[in-house]
PDB file of all heavy atoms in Angstrom:
ATOM      1  N   LYS A  44     -75.713 132.813 175.675  1.00  0.00           N
ATOM      2  CA  LYS A  44     -75.554 131.756 174.569  1.00  0.00           C
ATOM      3  C   LYS A  44     -76.688 132.234 173.462  1.00  0.00           C
ATOM      4  O   LYS A  44     -77.774 132.654 173.815  1.00  0.00           O
ATOM      5  CB  LYS A  44     -75.901 130.403 175.104  1.00  0.00           C
ATOM      6  CG  LYS A  44     -74.920 129.969 176.105  1.00  0.00           C
ATOM      7  CD  LYS A  44     -73.494 129.875 175.672  1.00  0.00           C
ATOM      8  CE  LYS A  44     -72.629 129.276 176.808  1.00  0.00           C
ATOM      9  NZ  LYS A  44     -72.294 130.125 177.808  1.00  0.00           N
ATOM     10  N   PRO A  45     -76.273 132.127 172.245  1.00  0.00           N
ATOM     11  CA  PRO A  45     -77.238 132.425 171.142  1.00  0.00           C
ATOM     12  C   PRO A  45     -78.157 131.287 171.075  1.00  0.00           C
ATOM     13  O   PRO A  45     -78.024 130.173 171.744  1.00  0.00           O
ATOM     14  CB  PRO A  45     -76.390 132.416 170.023  1.00  0.00           C
ATOM     15  CG  PRO A  45     -75.161 131.569 170.307  1.00  0.00           C
ATOM     16  CD  PRO A  45     -74.952 131.781 171.679  1.00  0.00           C
ATOM     17  N   ARG A  46     -79.301 131.608 170.388  1.00  0.00           N
ATOM     18  CA  ARG A  46     -80.334 130.510 170.200  1.00  0.00           C
ATOM     19  C   ARG A  46     -79.750 129.509 169.237  1.00  0.00           C
ATOM     20  O   ARG A  46     -79.120 129.833 168.202  1.00  0.00           O
ATOM     21  CB  ARG A  46     -81.553 131.103 169.626  1.00  0.00           C
ATOM     22  CG  ARG A  46     -82.297 132.159 170.621  1.00  0.00           C
ATOM     23  CD  ARG A  46     -83.459 132.755 170.200  1.00  0.00           C
ATOM     24  NE  ARG A  46     -83.266 133.311 168.880  1.00  0.00           N
ATOM     25  CZ  ARG A  46     -84.318 133.142 167.898  1.00  0.00           C
ATOM     26  NH1 ARG A  46     -85.402 132.529 168.077  1.00  0.00           N
ATOM     27  NH2 ARG A  46     -83.987 133.660 166.626  1.00  0.00           N
ATOM     28  N   LEU A  47     -80.036 128.209 169.539  1.00  0.00           N
ATOM     29  CA  LEU A  47     -79.424 127.140 168.725  1.00  0.00           C
ATOM     30  C   LEU A  47     -80.552 126.317 168.214  1.00  0.00           C
ATOM     31  O   LEU A  47     -81.664 126.302 168.611  1.00  0.00           O
ATOM     32  CB  LEU A  47     -78.711 126.188 169.798  1.00  0.00           C
ATOM     33  CG  LEU A  47     -77.558 126.808 170.550  1.00  0.00           C
ATOM     34  CD1 LEU A  47     -77.029 125.668 171.514  1.00  0.00           C
ATOM     35  CD2 LEU A  47     -76.542 127.419 169.648  1.00  0.00           C
ATOM     36  N   ALA A  48     -80.199 125.654 167.096  1.00  0.00           N
ATOM     37  CA  ALA A  48     -81.054 124.817 166.288  1.00  0.00           C
ATOM     38  C   ALA A  48     -80.297 123.704 165.643  1.00  0.00           C
ATOM     39  O   ALA A  48     -79.065 123.846 165.572  1.00  0.00           O
ATOM     40  CB  ALA A  48     -81.911 125.623 165.246  1.00  0.00           C
ATOM     41  N   ALA A  49     -80.903 122.724 165.135  1.00  0.00           N
ATOM     42  CA  ALA A  49     -80.244 121.659 164.457  1.00  0.00           C
ATOM     43  C   ALA A  49     -81.113 121.122 163.401  1.00  0.00           C
ATOM     44  O   ALA A  49     -82.497 121.111 163.519  1.00  0.00           O
ATOM     45  CB  ALA A  49     -79.708 120.539 165.265  1.00  0.00           C
ATOM     46  N   VAL A  50     -80.643 120.681 162.204  1.00  0.00           N
ATOM     47  CA  VAL A  50     -81.471 120.136 161.158  1.00  0.00           C
ATOM     48  C   VAL A  50     -80.784 118.700 160.816  1.00  0.00           C
ATOM     49  O   VAL A  50     -79.661 118.474 161.042  1.00  0.00           O
ATOM     50  CB  VAL A  50     -81.453 120.890 159.823  1.00  0.00           C
ATOM     51  CG1 VAL A  50     -82.295 122.166 160.184  1.00  0.00           C
ATOM     52  CG2 VAL A  50     -80.070 121.169 159.356  1.00  0.00           C
ATOM     53  N   LEU A  51     -81.648 117.737 160.344  1.00  0.00           N
ATOM     54  CA  LEU A  51     -81.320 116.472 159.904  1.00  0.00           C
ATOM     55  C   LEU A  51     -81.152 116.407 158.323  1.00  0.00           C
ATOM     56  O   LEU A  51     -82.134 116.538 157.700  1.00  0.00           O
ATOM     57  CB  LEU A  51     -82.156 115.344 160.412  1.00  0.00           C
ATOM     58  CG  LEU A  51     -81.787 113.847 160.149  1.00  0.00           C
ATOM     59  CD1 LEU A  51     -80.576 113.528 160.927  1.00  0.00           C
ATOM     60  CD2 LEU A  51     -82.988 112.989 160.498  1.00  0.00           C
ATOM     61  N   VAL A  52     -79.882 116.094 157.930  1.00  0.00           N
ATOM     62  CA  VAL A  52     -79.743 115.834 156.519  1.00  0.00           C
ATOM     63  C   VAL A  52     -79.773 114.325 156.337  1.00  0.00           C
ATOM     64  O   VAL A  52     -78.684 113.687 156.427  1.00  0.00           O
ATOM     65  CB  VAL A  52     -78.429 116.455 155.989  1.00  0.00           C
ATOM     66  CG1 VAL A  52     -78.170 116.294 154.521  1.00  0.00           C
ATOM     67  CG2 VAL A  52     -78.205 117.904 156.321  1.00  0.00           C
ATOM     68  N   LEU A  53     -80.860 113.824 156.067  1.00  0.00           N
ATOM     69  CA  LEU A  53     -81.074 112.352 155.996  1.00  0.00           C
ATOM     70  C   LEU A  53     -80.853 111.895 154.495  1.00  0.00           C
ATOM     71  O   LEU A  53     -81.711 112.130 153.610  1.00  0.00           O
ATOM     72  CB  LEU A  53     -82.371 111.899 156.585  1.00  0.00           C
ATOM     73  CG  LEU A  53     -82.728 110.397 156.660  1.00  0.00           C
ATOM     74  CD1 LEU A  53     -81.706 109.754 157.707  1.00  0.00           C
ATOM     75  CD2 LEU A  53     -84.111 110.035 156.799  1.00  0.00           C
ATOM     76  N   LEU A  54     -79.840 111.172 154.210  1.00  0.00           N
ATOM     77  CA  LEU A  54     -79.560 110.612 152.969  1.00  0.00           C
ATOM     78  C   LEU A  54     -79.983 109.213 152.811  1.00  0.00           C
ATOM     79  O   LEU A  54     -80.015 108.423 153.771  1.00  0.00           O
ATOM     80  CB  LEU A  54     -78.003 110.668 152.695  1.00  0.00           C
ATOM     81  CG  LEU A  54     -77.432 112.095 152.804  1.00  0.00           C
ATOM     82  CD1 LEU A  54     -75.885 112.027 152.668  1.00  0.00           C
ATOM     83  CD2 LEU A  54     -78.017 113.134 151.972  1.00  0.00           C
ATOM     84  N   TYR A  55     -80.307 108.678 151.689  1.00  0.00           N
ATOM     85  CA  TYR A  55     -80.593 107.276 151.316  1.00  0.00           C
ATOM     86  C   TYR A  55     -80.323 107.050 149.786  1.00  0.00           C
ATOM     87  O   TYR A  55     -80.535 108.052 149.072  1.00  0.00           O
ATOM     88  CB  TYR A  55     -81.983 106.892 151.832  1.00  0.00           C
ATOM     89  CG  TYR A  55     -83.168 107.858 151.401  1.00  0.00           C
ATOM     90  CD1 TYR A  55     -83.770 107.692 150.245  1.00  0.00           C
ATOM     91  CD2 TYR A  55     -83.480 108.740 152.359  1.00  0.00           C
ATOM     92  CE1 TYR A  55     -84.756 108.688 149.839  1.00  0.00           C
ATOM     93  CE2 TYR A  55     -84.516 109.724 151.973  1.00  0.00           C
ATOM     94  CZ  TYR A  55     -85.205 109.605 150.810  1.00  0.00           C
ATOM     95  OH  TYR A  55     -86.171 110.461 150.531  1.00  0.00           O
ATOM     96  N   TYR A  56     -80.144 105.782 149.518  1.00  0.00           N
ATOM     97  CA  TYR A  56     -79.986 105.424 148.151  1.00  0.00           C
ATOM     98  C   TYR A  56     -81.312 104.926 147.510  1.00  0.00           C
ATOM     99  O   TYR A  56     -81.830 103.854 148.027  1.00  0.00           O
ATOM    100  CB  TYR A  56     -78.815 104.451 147.952  1.00  0.00           C
ATOM    101  CG  TYR A  56     -78.551 103.941 146.606  1.00  0.00           C
ATOM    102  CD1 TYR A  56     -78.008 104.866 145.666  1.00  0.00           C
ATOM    103  CD2 TYR A  56     -78.902 102.658 146.127  1.00  0.00           C
ATOM    104  CE1 TYR A  56     -77.690 104.480 144.375  1.00  0.00           C
ATOM    105  CE2 TYR A  56     -78.488 102.305 144.753  1.00  0.00           C
ATOM    106  CZ  TYR A  56     -77.942 103.127 144.048  1.00  0.00           C
ATOM    107  OH  TYR A  56     -77.646 102.839 142.739  1.00  0.00           O
ATOM    108  N   ARG A  57     -81.874 105.583 146.555  1.00  0.00           N
ATOM    109  CA  ARG A  57     -83.027 105.221 145.873  1.00  0.00           C
ATOM    110  C   ARG A  57     -83.079 105.684 144.480  1.00  0.00           C
ATOM    111  O   ARG A  57     -82.601 106.761 144.149  1.00  0.00           O
ATOM    112  CB  ARG A  57     -84.255 105.841 146.622  1.00  0.00           C
ATOM    113  CG  ARG A  57     -85.617 105.201 146.316  1.00  0.00           C
ATOM    114  CD  ARG A  57     -86.688 105.873 147.174  1.00  0.00           C
ATOM    115  NE  ARG A  57     -87.812 104.945 147.232  1.00  0.00           N
ATOM    116  CZ  ARG A  57     -88.980 105.256 147.942  1.00  0.00           C
ATOM    117  NH1 ARG A  57     -88.991 106.405 148.692  1.00  0.00           N
ATOM    118  NH2 ARG A  57     -89.997 104.537 147.847  1.00  0.00           N
ATOM    119  N   SER A  58     -83.681 104.873 143.607  1.00  0.00           N
ATOM    120  CA  SER A  58     -83.848 105.205 142.203  1.00  0.00           C
ATOM    121  C   SER A  58     -82.403 105.613 141.581  1.00  0.00           C
ATOM    122  O   SER A  58     -82.272 106.526 140.832  1.00  0.00           O
ATOM    123  CB  SER A  58     -84.718 106.339 141.991  1.00  0.00           C
ATOM    124  OG  SER A  58     -86.049 106.174 142.491  1.00  0.00           O
ATOM    125  N   ASN A  59     -81.361 104.750 141.998  1.00  0.00           N
ATOM    126  CA  ASN A  59     -80.086 104.891 141.482  1.00  0.00           C
ATOM    127  C   ASN A  59     -79.311 106.183 141.861  1.00  0.00           C
ATOM    128  O   ASN A  59     -78.382 106.540 141.113  1.00  0.00           O
ATOM    129  CB  ASN A  59     -80.078 104.726 139.913  1.00  0.00           C
ATOM    130  CG  ASN A  59     -80.574 103.285 139.542  1.00  0.00           C
ATOM    131  OD1 ASN A  59     -80.199 102.333 140.136  1.00  0.00           O
ATOM    132  ND2 ASN A  59     -81.532 103.283 138.569  1.00  0.00           N
ATOM    133  N   ARG A  60     -79.813 106.779 142.904  1.00  0.00           N
ATOM    134  CA  ARG A  60     -79.191 108.076 143.307  1.00  0.00           C
ATOM    135  C   ARG A  60     -79.223 108.207 144.802  1.00  0.00           C
ATOM    136  O   ARG A  60     -80.095 107.655 145.438  1.00  0.00           O
ATOM    137  CB  ARG A  60     -79.892 109.325 142.659  1.00  0.00           C
ATOM    138  CG  ARG A  60     -79.609 109.464 141.158  1.00  0.00           C
ATOM    139  CD  ARG A  60     -80.353 110.749 140.692  1.00  0.00           C
ATOM    140  NE  ARG A  60     -79.977 111.123 139.325  1.00  0.00           N
ATOM    141  CZ  ARG A  60     -80.355 112.292 138.742  1.00  0.00           C
ATOM    142  NH1 ARG A  60     -81.339 112.928 139.190  1.00  0.00           N
ATOM    143  NH2 ARG A  60     -79.770 112.491 137.547  1.00  0.00           N
ATOM    144  N   LEU A  61     -78.175 108.856 145.248  1.00  0.00           N
ATOM    145  CA  LEU A  61     -78.112 109.339 146.667  1.00  0.00           C
ATOM    146  C   LEU A  61     -79.060 110.528 146.788  1.00  0.00           C
ATOM    147  O   LEU A  61     -78.833 111.551 146.247  1.00  0.00           O
ATOM    148  CB  LEU A  61     -76.759 109.694 147.102  1.00  0.00           C
ATOM    149  CG  LEU A  61     -76.414 109.848 148.593  1.00  0.00           C
ATOM    150  CD1 LEU A  61     -76.750 108.593 149.233  1.00  0.00           C
ATOM    151  CD2 LEU A  61     -74.986 110.212 148.793  1.00  0.00           C
ATOM    152  N   ARG A  62     -80.132 110.351 147.668  1.00  0.00           N
ATOM    153  CA  ARG A  62     -81.099 111.372 147.782  1.00  0.00           C
ATOM    154  C   ARG A  62     -81.174 111.887 149.183  1.00  0.00           C
ATOM    155  O   ARG A  62     -80.794 111.257 150.116  1.00  0.00           O
ATOM    156  CB  ARG A  62     -82.473 110.834 147.380  1.00  0.00           C
ATOM    157  CG  ARG A  62     -82.340 110.105 146.006  1.00  0.00           C
ATOM    158  CD  ARG A  62     -83.738 109.517 145.525  1.00  0.00           C
ATOM    159  NE  ARG A  62     -84.643 110.639 144.989  1.00  0.00           N
ATOM    160  CZ  ARG A  62     -84.599 110.939 143.776  1.00  0.00           C
ATOM    161  NH1 ARG A  62     -83.730 110.347 142.788  1.00  0.00           N
ATOM    162  NH2 ARG A  62     -85.351 111.931 143.411  1.00  0.00           N
ATOM    163  N   VAL A  63     -81.799 113.139 149.377  1.00  0.00           N
ATOM    164  CA  VAL A  63     -81.981 113.683 150.680  1.00  0.00           C
ATOM    165  C   VAL A  63     -83.459 113.937 150.932  1.00  0.00           C
ATOM    166  O   VAL A  63     -84.175 114.341 149.996  1.00  0.00           O
ATOM    167  CB  VAL A  63     -81.158 115.086 150.793  1.00  0.00           C
ATOM    168  CG1 VAL A  63     -81.602 116.044 149.674  1.00  0.00           C
ATOM    169  CG2 VAL A  63     -81.230 115.662 152.173  1.00  0.00           C
ATOM    170  N   LEU A  64     -83.875 113.648 152.133  1.00  0.00           N
ATOM    171  CA  LEU A  64     -85.240 113.958 152.677  1.00  0.00           C
ATOM    172  C   LEU A  64     -85.507 115.435 152.767  1.00  0.00           C
ATOM    173  O   LEU A  64     -84.731 116.057 153.580  1.00  0.00           O
ATOM    174  CB  LEU A  64     -85.431 113.141 153.909  1.00  0.00           C
ATOM    175  CG  LEU A  64     -86.913 113.225 154.437  1.00  0.00           C
ATOM    176  CD1 LEU A  64     -87.809 112.293 153.530  1.00  0.00           C
ATOM    177  CD2 LEU A  64     -87.000 112.730 155.900  1.00  0.00           C
ATOM    178  N   LEU A  65     -86.643 115.901 152.375  1.00  0.00           N
ATOM    179  CA  LEU A  65     -86.960 117.318 152.492  1.00  0.00           C
ATOM    180  C   LEU A  65     -88.445 117.392 152.790  1.00  0.00           C
ATOM    181  O   LEU A  65     -89.132 116.465 152.600  1.00  0.00           O
ATOM    182  CB  LEU A  65     -86.642 118.084 151.249  1.00  0.00           C
ATOM    183  CG  LEU A  65     -85.132 118.168 150.735  1.00  0.00           C
ATOM    184  CD1 LEU A  65     -85.011 118.664 149.294  1.00  0.00           C
ATOM    185  CD2 LEU A  65     -84.459 119.235 151.690  1.00  0.00           C
ATOM    186  N   THR A  66     -88.800 118.519 153.355  1.00  0.00           N
ATOM    187  CA  THR A  66     -90.214 118.844 153.551  1.00  0.00           C
ATOM    188  C   THR A  66     -90.603 120.236 153.055  1.00  0.00           C
ATOM    189  O   THR A  66     -89.713 120.980 152.790  1.00  0.00           O
ATOM    190  CB  THR A  66     -90.520 118.869 155.066  1.00  0.00           C
ATOM    191  OG1 THR A  66     -89.749 119.985 155.735  1.00  0.00           O
ATOM    192  CG2 THR A  66     -90.032 117.609 155.810  1.00  0.00           C
ATOM    193  N   THR A  67     -91.877 120.396 152.861  1.00  0.00           N
ATOM    194  CA  THR A  67     -92.448 121.743 152.457  1.00  0.00           C
ATOM    195  C   THR A  67     -93.172 122.223 153.781  1.00  0.00           C
ATOM    196  O   THR A  67     -94.003 121.578 154.305  1.00  0.00           O
ATOM    197  CB  THR A  67     -93.389 121.681 151.372  1.00  0.00           C
ATOM    198  OG1 THR A  67     -92.754 121.062 150.272  1.00  0.00           O
ATOM    199  CG2 THR A  67     -93.823 123.153 150.928  1.00  0.00           C
ATOM    200  N   ARG A  68     -92.695 123.429 154.336  1.00  0.00           N
ATOM    201  CA  ARG A  68     -93.344 123.881 155.581  1.00  0.00           C
ATOM    202  C   ARG A  68     -94.704 124.302 155.333  1.00  0.00           C
ATOM    203  O   ARG A  68     -95.151 124.739 154.263  1.00  0.00           O
ATOM    204  CB  ARG A  68     -92.420 125.020 156.025  1.00  0.00           C
ATOM    205  CG  ARG A  68     -91.122 124.692 156.512  1.00  0.00           C
ATOM    206  CD  ARG A  68     -90.287 125.922 156.907  1.00  0.00           C
ATOM    207  NE  ARG A  68     -90.830 126.804 157.826  1.00  0.00           N
ATOM    208  CZ  ARG A  68     -90.765 126.639 159.085  1.00  0.00           C
ATOM    209  NH1 ARG A  68     -90.071 125.574 159.555  1.00  0.00           N
ATOM    210  NH2 ARG A  68     -91.340 127.523 159.901  1.00  0.00           N
ATOM    211  N   SER A  69     -95.674 124.130 156.313  1.00  0.00           N
ATOM    212  CA  SER A  69     -96.972 124.405 156.265  1.00  0.00           C
ATOM    213  C   SER A  69     -97.160 125.939 155.936  1.00  0.00           C
ATOM    214  O   SER A  69     -96.373 126.789 156.405  1.00  0.00           O
ATOM    215  CB  SER A  69     -97.680 124.108 157.586  1.00  0.00           C
ATOM    216  OG  SER A  69     -98.985 124.682 157.623  1.00  0.00           O
ATOM    217  N   LYS A  70     -98.145 126.243 155.156  1.00  0.00           N
ATOM    218  CA  LYS A  70     -98.352 127.612 154.808  1.00  0.00           C
ATOM    219  C   LYS A  70     -99.066 128.385 155.954  1.00  0.00           C
ATOM    220  O   LYS A  70     -99.122 129.589 155.856  1.00  0.00           O
ATOM    221  CB  LYS A  70     -99.336 127.702 153.660  1.00  0.00           C
ATOM    222  CG  LYS A  70     -98.766 127.142 152.304  1.00  0.00           C
ATOM    223  CD  LYS A  70     -99.739 127.268 151.129  1.00  0.00           C
ATOM    224  CE  LYS A  70     -99.118 126.784 149.789  1.00  0.00           C
ATOM    225  NZ  LYS A  70     -98.850 125.262 149.861  1.00  0.00           N
ATOM    226  N   SER A  71     -99.441 127.648 156.981  1.00  0.00           N
ATOM    227  CA  SER A  71     -99.948 128.383 158.109  1.00  0.00           C
ATOM    228  C   SER A  71     -98.927 128.763 159.193  1.00  0.00           C
ATOM    229  O   SER A  71     -99.148 129.541 160.094  1.00  0.00           O
ATOM    230  CB  SER A  71    -100.942 127.400 158.835  1.00  0.00           C
ATOM    231  OG  SER A  71    -100.256 126.231 159.377  1.00  0.00           O
ATOM    232  N   LEU A  72     -97.651 128.442 158.973  1.00  0.00           N
ATOM    233  CA  LEU A  72     -96.562 128.853 159.881  1.00  0.00           C
ATOM    234  C   LEU A  72     -96.199 130.350 159.643  1.00  0.00           C
ATOM    235  O   LEU A  72     -96.332 130.809 158.620  1.00  0.00           O
ATOM    236  CB  LEU A  72     -95.319 127.954 159.704  1.00  0.00           C
ATOM    237  CG  LEU A  72     -95.368 126.504 160.022  1.00  0.00           C
ATOM    238  CD1 LEU A  72     -94.225 125.680 159.464  1.00  0.00           C
ATOM    239  CD2 LEU A  72     -95.616 126.269 161.572  1.00  0.00           C
ATOM    240  N   ARG A  73     -95.832 130.934 160.856  1.00  0.00           N
ATOM    241  CA  ARG A  73     -95.475 132.372 160.712  1.00  0.00           C
ATOM    242  C   ARG A  73     -94.098 132.553 160.137  1.00  0.00           C
ATOM    243  O   ARG A  73     -93.801 133.534 159.555  1.00  0.00           O
ATOM    244  CB  ARG A  73     -95.528 132.936 162.056  1.00  0.00           C
ATOM    245  CG  ARG A  73     -96.887 133.145 162.597  1.00  0.00           C
ATOM    246  CD  ARG A  73     -96.918 133.807 164.059  1.00  0.00           C
ATOM    247  NE  ARG A  73     -96.061 133.049 165.078  1.00  0.00           N
ATOM    248  CZ  ARG A  73     -95.842 133.591 166.185  1.00  0.00           C
ATOM    249  NH1 ARG A  73     -96.131 134.770 166.617  1.00  0.00           N
ATOM    250  NH2 ARG A  73     -95.130 132.793 167.031  1.00  0.00           N
ATOM    251  N   SER A  74     -93.234 131.498 160.384  1.00  0.00           N
ATOM    252  CA  SER A  74     -91.824 131.585 159.826  1.00  0.00           C
ATOM    253  C   SER A  74     -91.615 130.709 158.534  1.00  0.00           C
ATOM    254  O   SER A  74     -91.925 129.553 158.597  1.00  0.00           O
ATOM    255  CB  SER A  74     -90.823 131.141 160.934  1.00  0.00           C
ATOM    256  OG  SER A  74     -89.534 131.111 160.391  1.00  0.00           O
ATOM    257  N   HIS A  75     -91.264 131.370 157.535  1.00  0.00           N
ATOM    258  CA  HIS A  75     -91.013 130.721 156.197  1.00  0.00           C
ATOM    259  C   HIS A  75     -92.110 129.813 155.747  1.00  0.00           C
ATOM    260  O   HIS A  75     -91.842 128.646 155.444  1.00  0.00           O
ATOM    261  CB  HIS A  75     -89.686 129.884 156.386  1.00  0.00           C
ATOM    262  CG  HIS A  75     -88.451 130.714 156.847  1.00  0.00           C
ATOM    263  ND1 HIS A  75     -87.919 131.636 156.221  1.00  0.00           N
ATOM    264  CD2 HIS A  75     -87.750 130.606 158.041  1.00  0.00           C
ATOM    265  CE1 HIS A  75     -86.945 132.227 156.824  1.00  0.00           C
ATOM    266  NE2 HIS A  75     -86.861 131.576 158.012  1.00  0.00           N
TER     267      HIS A  75
END
Side-chain angles (χ1 to χ4, degrees):
K44 303 299 186 287
R46 297 180 311 140
L47 304 176
V50 294
L51 184 65
V52 183
L53 186 66
L54 306 175
Y55 46 89
Y56 183 66
R57 192 177 201 179
S58 301
N59 298 316
R60 284 181 167 180
L61 192 61
R62 309 180 79 86
V63 60
L64 183 75
L65 293 163
T66 68
T67 308
R68 291 171 59 82
S69 170
K70 294 182 179 64
S71 64
L72 292 173
R73 290 185 299 174
S74 174
H75 309 295

